[in-house]
């Protein structure tokens, strides 16, 4: 059978098709600028020595039109990977917010869709786009089973003292204000890979997902014990354009003393802060080049970014009662040797000692960057959220 994974955004659809049970990726792609006369599709087919890539520019009025075009590419010759759409048995959807109802992958029915809709209030940027993806996939793949895999689900194992805020209780009981955490699929995947590498399912792990968005998680026994994102994906680490942790009084000050409207506050915190706010650039590659040239803003930004991560490493080592491995993943975590170096600097007292030479080398797959004297391992584990979603869909059986 085949499993088709969809990650539907407000104007984009990311997709990947797997042959199952051998977990073989058949093709993947990205539809962008949906709603535009000049929408684009990048479609990559695996199978030969090197993947073949097709680029299309075409008008796509909505998500349905985008997905129909993708389906045409799946079955069209040359390069088609399916004879017929009925070969897709399962469609797995990445859904950002599952609230506190969904703790695992879930077969989608009317009640599940209603709950995803109810959660629009908590994830106004993501859940509406995710639901559009589901409804379009139901039309395009009517015979397939539709499954939702929630970004929040992995963190539903947090104890109450970790997920509650010290706010008046009704704000939690009546309005759902609590920590949910995000990037769960990625944390779960890399933690499982790391635990398998260590040969110890019960290993105490800190996973650092450092991409455009960044989050840390404390994981043991395939369970998340704490994570740095909170009620929304704004909390915690410094990110490409998001602040991470800050004193909430700053929000009030922006509004009351500086005259910002609430929407402007949201824009500053989500889109104009983080590395972008500190340096004017949000891609670590550009900031790394500026830092190497001695740019003071880039130097400060790297130091602040790494300092915040180090604070969480300290906190989560305490949460876990020790540490067996620190795991770096996602665009920055997998590629930026300087970030890893700054994070691990002078961490010998936590048992973390980086092998500087290995840290500089670029290699695919899981990498162990620990020095021989390091008590805890320092690992790079490439994330693969699509594969993890497909595995969870397959794990539902039936
Ligand atoms: P992701 O969200 O996992 O796709 O990560 C995207 C981010 O990874 C980009 O914004 C870059 O800042 C960062 N990134 C990608 N490649 C590199 C690299 N070679 N060195 C440093 N940062 C990188």
């Amino acid at each position: 059978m085949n499993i088709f994974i969809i990650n539907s955004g407000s104007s984009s659809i990311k997709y990947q098709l797997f042959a199952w049970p051998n977990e073989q990726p058949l093709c993947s792609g990205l539809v962008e600028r949906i709603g535009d006369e000049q929408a684009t599709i990048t479609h990559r087919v695996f199978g030969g020595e090197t993947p073949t890539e097709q680029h299309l520019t075409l008008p796509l009025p909505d998500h349905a039109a985008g997905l129909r075009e993708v389906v045409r590419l799946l079955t069209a010759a040359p390069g088609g990977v399916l004879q017929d759409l009925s070969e897709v048995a399962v469609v797995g959807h990445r859904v950002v917010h599952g609230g506190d109802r969904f703790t695992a992958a879930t077969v989608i029915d009317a009640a599940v869709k209603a709950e995803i809709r109810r959660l629009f209030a908590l994830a106004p940027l993501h859940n509406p786009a995710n639901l559009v993806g589901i409804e379009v996939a139901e039309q395009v793949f009517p015979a397939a089973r539709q499954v939702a895999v929630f970004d929040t689900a992995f963190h539903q194992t947090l104890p109450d003292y970790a997920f509650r805020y010290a706010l008046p209780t009704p704000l939690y009981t009546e309005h759902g204000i609590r920590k949910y955490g995000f990037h769960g699929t990625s944390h779960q995947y890399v933690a499982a890979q790391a635990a398998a590498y260590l040969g110890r399912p019960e290993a105490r792990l800190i996973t650092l997902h450092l991409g455009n968005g960044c989050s840390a998680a404390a994981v043991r026994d395939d369970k998340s014990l704490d994570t740095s994102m909170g009620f929304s994906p704004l909390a915690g680490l410094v990110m490409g354009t998001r602040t991470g942790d800050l004193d909430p009084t700053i929000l009030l000050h922006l509004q009351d003393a500086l005259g910002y409207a609430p929407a402007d506050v949201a824009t500053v915190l989500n889109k104009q802060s983080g590395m972008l706010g500190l340096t004017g650039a949000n891609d670590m590659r550009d900031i790394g080049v500026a830092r190497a040239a001695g740019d003071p803003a880039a130097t400060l930004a790297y130091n602040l970014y790494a300092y915040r991560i180090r604070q969480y490493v300290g906190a989560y080592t305490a949460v876990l009662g020790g540490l067996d491995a620190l795991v770096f993943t996602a665009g920055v975590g997998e590629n930026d040797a300087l970030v890893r170096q700054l994070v691990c600097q002078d961490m010998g007292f936590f048992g973390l000692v980086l092998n500087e030479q290995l840290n500089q080398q670029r290699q695919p797959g899981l990498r162990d960057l620990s020095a021989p004297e390091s008590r805890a391992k320092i690992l790079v584990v490439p994330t693969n959220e699509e594969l993890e979603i497909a595995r969870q869909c397959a794990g539902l059986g039936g």
Side-chain angles (χ1 to χ4, degrees), residues 211-212 282-285 330-332 335-336 362:
N212 277 321
N282 74 340
D283 193 304
M284 287 301 255
R285 285 164 286 203
V332 178
N335 295 299
D336 196 320
R362 286 180 173 277

Side-chain angles (χ1 to χ4, degrees), residues 126-191:
H126 295 104
N127 271 34
N130 299 154
L131 187 60
V132 168
I134 290 168
E135 290 179 334
V136 167
E138 285 174 335
Q139 294 165 24
V140 175
F141 298 96
R145 185 213 296 238
Q146 311 284 332
V147 176
V149 175
F150 299 92
D151 242 23
T152 48
F154 182 55
H155 301 302
Q156 280 296 306
T157 47
L158 263 61
D160 54 3
Y161 51 80
F163 75 69
R164 283 288 298 276
Y165 296 112
L167 286 165
T169 299
L171 288 177
Y172 165 61
T173 51
E174 290 166 31
H175 301 286
I177 296 181
R178 52 159 285 177
K179 177 184 282 198
Y180 292 99
F182 300 86
H183 289 150
T185 311
S186 179
H187 287 293
Q188 186 167 17
Y189 177 80
V190 299

Side-chain angles (χ1 to χ4, degrees), residues 30-341:
L30 179 63
V31 186
E32 289 178 286
R33 300 172 65 172
I34 292 171
D36 198 304
E37 282 292 310
Q38 304 271 308
T40 59
I41 302 181
T42 307
H43 181 71
R44 186 175 296 135
V45 176
F46 307 105
E49 293 259 301
T50 49
T52 54
E53 207 167 275
Q54 250 177 295
H55 297 271
L56 281 75
T57 303
L58 70 178
L60 292 174
D62 52 27
H63 285 69
L67 197 58
R68 290 218 163 81
E69 193 57 30
V70 170
V71 160
R72 191 187 65 73
L73 290 168
L74 295 180
T75 47
V81 290
L82 295 177
Q83 301 284 327
D84 190 276
L85 279 193
S86 62
E87 294 163 36
V88 174
V90 182
V91 181
H93 297 269
R94 177 185 181 218
V95 179
V96 165
H97 216 306
D100 53 14
R101 270 266 310 272
F102 299 110
T103 58
T106 305
V107 176
I108 297 170
D109 58 15
V112 170
K113 283 193 284 183
E115 184 65 11
I116 293 171
R117 191 184 304 276
R118 197 182 65 78
L119 292 164
F120 282 5
L122 298 187
L125 300 179
H126 295 104
N127 271 34
N130 299 154
L131 187 60
V132 168
I134 290 168
E135 290 179 334
V136 167
E138 285 174 335
Q139 294 165 24
V140 175
F141 298 96
R145 185 213 296 238
Q146 311 284 332
V147 176
V149 175
F150 299 92
D151 242 23
T152 48
F154 182 55
H155 301 302
Q156 280 296 306
T157 47
L158 263 61
D160 54 3
Y161 51 80
F163 75 69
R164 283 288 298 276
Y165 296 112
L167 286 165
T169 299
L171 288 177
Y172 165 61
T173 51
E174 290 166 31
H175 301 286
I177 296 181
R178 52 159 285 177
K179 177 184 282 198
Y180 292 99
F182 300 86
H183 289 150
T185 311
S186 179
H187 287 293
Q188 186 167 17
Y189 177 80
V190 299
Q193 299 286 307
Y197 172 76
L198 298 172
R200 294 176 52 201
E202 79 296 353
R204 297 159 299 182
L205 307 169
I206 297 175
T207 49
L208 299 171
H209 178 107
L210 308 176
N212 277 321
C214 301
S215 64
V219 183
R220 189 172 57 207
D221 266 330
D222 193 35
K223 286 190 183 60
S224 174
L225 301 182
D226 204 351
T227 191
S228 59
M229 284 178 168
F231 176 67
S232 81
L234 188 60
L237 305 179
V238 176
M239 314 186 204
T241 64
R242 284 174 251 166
T243 53
D245 291 337
L246 83 176
D247 180 340
T249 303
I250 296 169
L251 278 65
L252 305 176
H253 187 77
L254 288 175
Q255 293 182 69
D256 298 343
L258 304 183
Y260 281 58
D264 298 336
V265 175
T267 302
V268 171
L269 268 45
N270 283 293
K271 301 203 169 136
Q272 299 171 349
S273 295
M275 297 305 269
L276 178 68
L278 292 167
T279 69
N282 74 340
D283 193 304
M284 287 301 255
R285 285 164 286 203
D286 301 331
I287 303 166
V289 169
R291 183 188 179 278
D295 181 79
T299 304
L300 167 70
Y302 257 90
N303 288 342
L304 208 164
Y305 185 94
Y307 179 71
R308 186 75 56 82
I309 295 171
R310 289 161 62 84
Q311 290 179 304
Y312 273 91
V313 171
Y316 288 175
T317 300
V319 165
L320 290 161
L323 183 63
D324 296 306
L326 181 63
V327 183
F328 289 89
T329 195
V332 178
E334 292 168 31
N335 295 299
D336 196 320
L338 178 61
V339 162
R340 295 192 298 259
Q341 183 198 325

Side-chain angles (χ1 to χ4, degrees), residues 356-377:
E356 257 317 314
Q357 236 176 340
L358 291 177
N359 185 40
Q360 297 298 335
Q361 288 171 12
R362 286 180 173 277
Q363 265 160 16
L366 186 152
R367 291 190 284 151
D368 185 341
L369 309 182
S370 352
E373 67 271 31
S374 192
R375 268 183 288 120
K377 295 285 186 196

